Amino acid sequence: GAGVSQTPSNKVTEKGKYVELRCDPISGHTALYWYRQSLGQGPEFLIYFQGTGAADDSGLPNDRFFAVRPEGSVSTLKIQRTERGDSAVYLCASSLSGTGVTEQFFGPGTRLTVL
Amino acid sequence: AQSVTQLGSHVSVSEGALVLLRCNYSSSVPPYLFWYVQYPNQGLQLLLKYTSAATLVKGINGFEAEFKKSETSFHLTKPSAHMSDAAEYFCAVTGSSGDKLTFGTGTRLAVRP
């Protein structure tokens, strides 16, 4: 079956602009995660959804970042007033449930470049 | 809180040689530990995971890892490296509540002919 998909694959924007990054999880997966991977680093957790609600948003760096999952499937990560430091690969993952033993399946990521 | 430390950002081995990628963890609760591989321009793929069932865990592509509580380690090994193993490898940890993964900084493995 289809894996996790993310669109766009690449996004170039100018400082101060607003961007939306989309994640389509594997069908039937109730848990969805967003991570950010900066150059030369491992992925860093941003936010985790269980169904429609954000179960843990402790990784969001500031109030410019926001994510939604209104119907419990597709999720959108929204970044306002982008800064050059937001440049990174944004990864989405989904799993059958939010328990630790359940594998998280990752999408290919969206590479965001803020000029 | 949990964390992992990967020793060695770059490891180079000859084809056919032993692969050893190091990971040490810190966790205030019994951890679940994972190794992921990332090939260029591809998403992260799970190699193997430790969930307390057995300390020696076998994964895909001939990789295995051993959980050693006394050493707080979860090193990844493969007896014989193949050219196709060249990639970046990430160790990750989560607690029993199982939400977010905390990743190490990664180890880039190069395989010499």
Side-chain angles (χ1 to χ4, degrees), chain A residues 8-19:
Chain A
S9 56
N10 280 282
K11 176 70 177 179
V12 181
T13 190
E14 293 180 344
K15 180 176 178 295
K17 298 291 187 182
Y18 168 83
V19 296

Side-chain angles (χ1 to χ4, degrees), chain A residues 33 35 37 40-43 45 48 56 58 98-101 103-104 106-107, chain B residues 32 34 36 38 43-44 46 49 51 90 94 97-101 103-105:
Chain A
Y33 311 79
Y35 295 85
Q37 186 174 17
Q41 301 295 317
F45 170 78
Y48 152 56
D56 182 353
S58 61
T99 59
V101 295
E103 178 181 353
Q104 293 185 25
F106 283 81
Chain B
Y32 295 138
F34 305 79
Y36 280 85
Q38 187 173 39
L44 290 159
L46 181 68
K49 62 185 177 185
T51 58
F90 293 94
T94 186
S97 61
D99 43 26
K100 57 194 174 191
L101 290 168
F103 286 86
T105 52

